[in-house]
């Protein structure tokens, strides 16, 4: 695949017959064969499925039939999203042998738009983590520095795009799992408004926070992929009945007169100095673009991570109860059914998943419910009120996406709290259900990418894309590629 193309221009070339979708797909697989041995982005490939789709695209293009948006562009999908007839592992041993009997709604949409699905990507087990080191299957490495993590939990989907194996991919974001790896891998990642993208067929981690989310190498490709996957779905009871705007239609409109708020609590303290410096530079860029910049306080942000780890683990403890050795995947026979449940779960789940099930079960148990779960819900409400107040004064809020650039593999593995703090800037967004995008804003001294997060009110995706596009054009930070990986 030509790494320097955008997904939209690749699609145009396929549409006009300049490129064949089958050749494009072959180029993607060639790249995967050459570099994924080092990067480790994919858990499994789906060559037959992808090839059939690419052939259909070429047939249509030849016949001069209209092709839907992004048709022919190879796509990588996080391995917690169901693709019918293929394994969904969630990078857990407990799903060993499980084959998806149905397609997720996003998978159906992607198929309707004729994107060849090239394979399923690695993640932290059940999307619990910030480095992809919690995968029970393999290590994924950051293409910018193979000794470092790609971020997580959607690290496989991020690494696939950052290493030029595909131009776009899907991840899921519960507390930052698309925006944080986007930041660490020099990509664009957008967490949509809660309910904008159907969760049907996404393996649930924390249902009130989860959203399937796109990755790309530039803002327009991200907008195009959201256009493909978004929209109402009656199979998801939390789906928003909302007509998607044409995200690409207004994306180049100017951003003057916009008011931008800096979150005081996330400006500087605890940040790697280069991240803080790059953020200051981003503020200058916004000023040059003619936007007004204010500083704003969201005082409850300091409780967001604590509140998230009560709520997300509580929901996870309930959602993961279904993996019992009877219904899905792994079954370790015991002496009786209870013993079978225990043995299956003891062997099937990894340490981080067990830690979270225990935490969540504890905070939901009688006697502790009010002290923990109830309090965390109150913080969620406070945060929502504080963000609502902000929207009366500013159009969007900005902060660095992650306090640091990509860290070394193993560096935080044994320190869950320091790992949890990687998501300090991304978690509040999921708690209040608003959209947020991470876009590249610079590099640290080791040439590792830095991400900027832009947050907006519910359903402000169109505005987020427009502002991000203006920033991307002003800085030229798009379609970033690490130095060439040695090819196998
Ligand atoms: N890193 C956060 C966690 O471990 C967020 C994960 C996610 O967004 N899926 O819970």
């Amino acid at each position: 695949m030509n790494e320097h193309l955008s997904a939209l221009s690749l699609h145009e070339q396929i549409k006009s017959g300049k490129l064949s979708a089958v050749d494009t797909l072959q180029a993607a697989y060639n790249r995967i064969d050459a570099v994924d041995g080092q990067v480790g982005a994919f858990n499994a490939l789906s060559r037959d499925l992808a090839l059939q789709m690419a052939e259909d695209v070429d047939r249509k293009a030849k016949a001069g039939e209209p092709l839907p948006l992004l048709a022919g562009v190879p796509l990588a999908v996080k391995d917690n999203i169901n693709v019918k007839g293929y394994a969904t592992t969630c990078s857990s041993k407990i799903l060993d042998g499980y084959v998806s009997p149905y397609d997720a709604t996003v998978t159906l949409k992607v198929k309707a738009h004729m994107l060849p699905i090239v394979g399923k990507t690695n993640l932290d087990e059940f999307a619990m983590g910030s480095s992809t080191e919690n995968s029970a299957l393999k290590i994924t490495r950051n293409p910018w520095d193979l000794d470092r993590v790609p971020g997580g939990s959607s690290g496989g989907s991020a690494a696939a795009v950052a290493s030029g194996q595909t131009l776009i991919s899907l991840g899921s974001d519960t507390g930052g799992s698309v925006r944080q790896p986007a930041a660490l891998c020099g990509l664009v990642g957008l967490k949509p408004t809660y309910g904008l993208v159907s969760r049907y067929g996404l393996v649930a981690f924390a249902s009130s926070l989860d959203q399937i989310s796109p990755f790309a190498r530039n803002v327009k490709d991200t907008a195009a992929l959201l256009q493909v996957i978004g929209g109402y779905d009656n199979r998801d009871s939390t789906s928003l009945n909302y007509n998607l705007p044409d995200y690409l239609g207004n994306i180049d409109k100017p951003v003057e007169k916009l008011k931008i708020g800096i979150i005081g609590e996330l400006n500087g303290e605890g940040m790697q100095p280069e991240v803080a410096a790059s953020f200051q530079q981003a503020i200058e860029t916004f000023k040059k673009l003619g936007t007004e910049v204010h500083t704003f306080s969201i005082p409850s942000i300091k409780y967001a991570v604590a509140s998230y780890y009560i709520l997300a683990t509580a929901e996870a403890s309930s959602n993961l109860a279904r993996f019992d050795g009877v219904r899905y995947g792994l079954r370790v026979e015991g002496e009786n059914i209870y013993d079978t449940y225990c043995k299956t779960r003891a062997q099937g789940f990894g340490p981080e998943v067990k830690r979270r099930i225990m935490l969540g079960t504890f905070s939901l148990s009688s006697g502790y419910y009010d002290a923990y779960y109830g309090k965390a819900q109150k913080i969620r409400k406070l945060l929502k009120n504080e963000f609502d107040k902000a929207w009366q004064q500013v159009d969007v809020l900005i902060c660095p996406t992650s306090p640091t650039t990509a860290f070394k593999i193993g560096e935080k593995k044994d320190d869950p709290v320091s790992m949890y703090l990687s998501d300090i800037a991304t978690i509040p967004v999921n708690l209040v259900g608003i959209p947020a995008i991470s876009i590249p804003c610079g590099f640290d001294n080791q040439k590792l990418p830095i991400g900027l997060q832009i947050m907006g009110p519910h359903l402000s995706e169109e505005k987020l894309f427009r502002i991000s596009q203006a920033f991307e054009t002003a800085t030229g930070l798009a379609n970033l590629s690490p130095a060439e990986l040695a090819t196998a």
Side-chain angles (χ1 to χ4, degrees):
M1 170 167 326
N2 183 339
E3 276 185 69
H4 304 290
L5 276 179
S6 76
L8 281 165
S9 67
L10 186 61
H11 166 67
E12 284 307 320
Q13 299 204 26
I14 290 170
K15 214 159 82 169
S16 67
K18 270 199 206 122
L19 272 177
S20 103
V22 169
D23 289 350
T24 301
L25 180 67
Q26 193 49 53
Y29 279 124
N30 290 347
R31 178 78 183 157
I32 292 172
D33 292 339
V35 301
D36 207 45
Q38 299 167 73
V39 176
F42 286 93
N43 284 344
L45 300 174
S46 42
R47 291 182 197 259
D48 295 349
L49 179 73
L51 183 62
Q52 207 178 16
M53 185 61 84
E55 285 171 353
D56 284 352
V57 170
D58 283 343
R59 206 169 301 127
K60 277 204 171 194
K62 235 189 217 130
E65 289 175 39
L67 283 172
L69 183 63
L70 291 181
V73 180
L75 177 79
V77 174
K78 187 175 181 178
D79 204 3
N80 60 352
I81 297 172
N82 280 294
V83 176
K84 187 176 176 179
Y86 290 85
T88 300
T89 70
C90 293
S91 291
S92 177
K93 284 195 239 160
I94 209 155
L95 278 169
D96 196 23
Y98 172 75
V99 175
S100 318
Y102 69 99
D103 273 325
T105 296
V106 293
T107 308
L108 289 175
K109 286 183 184 262
V110 156
K111 286 182 174 176
H113 275 260
M114 307 189 75
L115 283 82
I117 296 174
V118 298
K120 305 291 292 290
T121 59
N122 195 24
L123 62 148
D124 284 300
E125 186 174 359
F126 284 100
M128 298 175 181
S130 309
S131 67
T132 314
E133 290 166 291
N134 293 334
S135 167
L137 305 185
K138 68 200 295 185
I139 287 185
T140 299
R141 295 171 183 277
N142 190 317
W144 292 86
D145 177 347
L146 295 173
D147 292 331
R148 292 176 188 267
V149 302
S153 64
S154 312
S157 284
V161 176
S163 57
Q165 304 184 47
T166 63
L167 294 174
I168 49 176
S169 64
L170 292 180
S172 65
D173 189 313
T174 303
S177 278
V178 163
R179 287 159 289 153
Q180 185 256 14
L184 271 46
C185 290
L187 305 174
V188 178
L190 172 99
K191 201 288 283 181
T193 300
Y194 184 76
L196 188 68
V197 179
S198 170
R199 290 182 295 109
Y200 181 77
L202 165 71
V203 179
F205 160 17
S207 315
S208 78
L209 303 158
D210 299 337
Q211 272 295 278
I212 294 173
S213 307
F215 282 105
R217 290 159 16 107
N218 59 65
V219 175
K220 284 186 181 168
D221 286 355
T222 314
L225 188 50
L226 181 65
Q227 198 82 50
V228 169
I229 62 170
Y232 177 67
D233 177 18
N234 64 11
R235 289 182 297 182
D236 172 357
S237 62
T238 59
S239 178
L240 289 174
N241 205 339
Y242 166 74
N243 287 329
L244 291 187
D246 174 8
Y247 292 119
L248 290 166
N250 291 323
I251 203 161
D252 287 314
K253 287 235 174 93
V255 291
E256 277 110 301
K257 294 199 201 96
L258 278 176
K259 289 189 187 142
I260 288 182
I262 298 163
I263 301 185
E265 287 80 4
L266 297 174
N267 186 13
E269 210 186 318
M271 303 271 162
Q272 184 179 322
E274 295 129 294
V275 170
S278 172
F279 181 61
Q280 292 311 317
Q281 239 177 7
I283 294 170
E284 292 310 313
T285 304
F286 279 120
K287 286 185 182 157
K288 279 195 207 127
L289 285 169
T291 57
E292 264 181 50
V293 181
H294 305 263
T295 295
F296 209 88
S297 173
I298 307 274
S300 300
I301 274 212
K302 56 180 172 295
Y303 308 119
V305 171
S307 148
Y308 169 87
Y309 276 94
I310 299 288
L311 298 172
T313 58
E315 292 185 29
S317 72
S318 163
N319 276 326
L320 270 58
R322 73 192 67 182
F323 302 106
D324 56 5
V326 178
R327 299 176 179 86
Y328 306 91
L330 182 77
R331 178 186 183 93
V332 184
E333 287 297 341
E335 281 163 21
N336 51 44
I337 186 68
Y338 185 73
D339 198 32
T340 298
Y341 294 157
C342 292
K343 287 208 163 96
T344 303
R345 288 168 70 83
Q347 285 186 35
F349 288 135
E352 181 63 23
V353 175
K354 286 180 185 160
R355 180 182 295 126
R356 294 196 187 202
I357 291 173
M358 285 191 286
L359 265 171
T361 310
F362 175 79
S363 63
L364 286 176
S365 52
S366 73
Y368 296 103
Y369 185 94
D370 289 339
Y372 294 100
Y373 189 81
K375 274 239 172 75
Q377 286 288 28
K378 281 183 190 154
I379 289 164
R380 193 172 191 177
K381 181 75 184 139
L382 274 178
L383 265 175
K384 177 160 187 323
N385 293 346
E386 290 169 15
F387 272 97
D388 282 348
K389 237 165 87 192
W391 306 136
Q392 291 169 8
Q393 298 178 45
V394 292
D395 292 288
V396 293
L397 290 163
I398 58 172
C399 64
T401 308
S402 161
T404 67
T405 53
F407 43 91
K408 285 255 162 77
I409 291 171
E411 190 179 321
K412 298 191 182 183
K413 183 127 178 48
D414 300 320
D415 185 356
V417 174
S418 105
M419 189 77 93
Y420 295 172
L421 287 172
S422 315
D423 296 319
I424 190 154
T426 50
I427 274 174
V429 165
N430 301 73
L431 288 172
V432 299
I434 54 175
I437 191 166
S438 179
I439 56 176
C441 70
F443 293 91
D444 72 3
N445 297 340
Q446 316 206 46
K447 295 239 158 29
L448 296 169
I450 298 172
L452 168 75
Q453 179 174 233
I454 312 175
M455 298 155 263
H458 284 86
L459 297 173
S460 63
E461 281 80 0
E462 204 181 353
K463 200 192 280 176
L464 293 184
F465 285 136
R466 204 148 48 83
I467 298 172
S468 305
Q469 181 60 40
F471 186 89
E472 184 183 283
T473 308
T475 59
L477 292 168
N479 303 326
L480 307 178
S481 293
E484 189 54 32
L485 295 163
T487 44

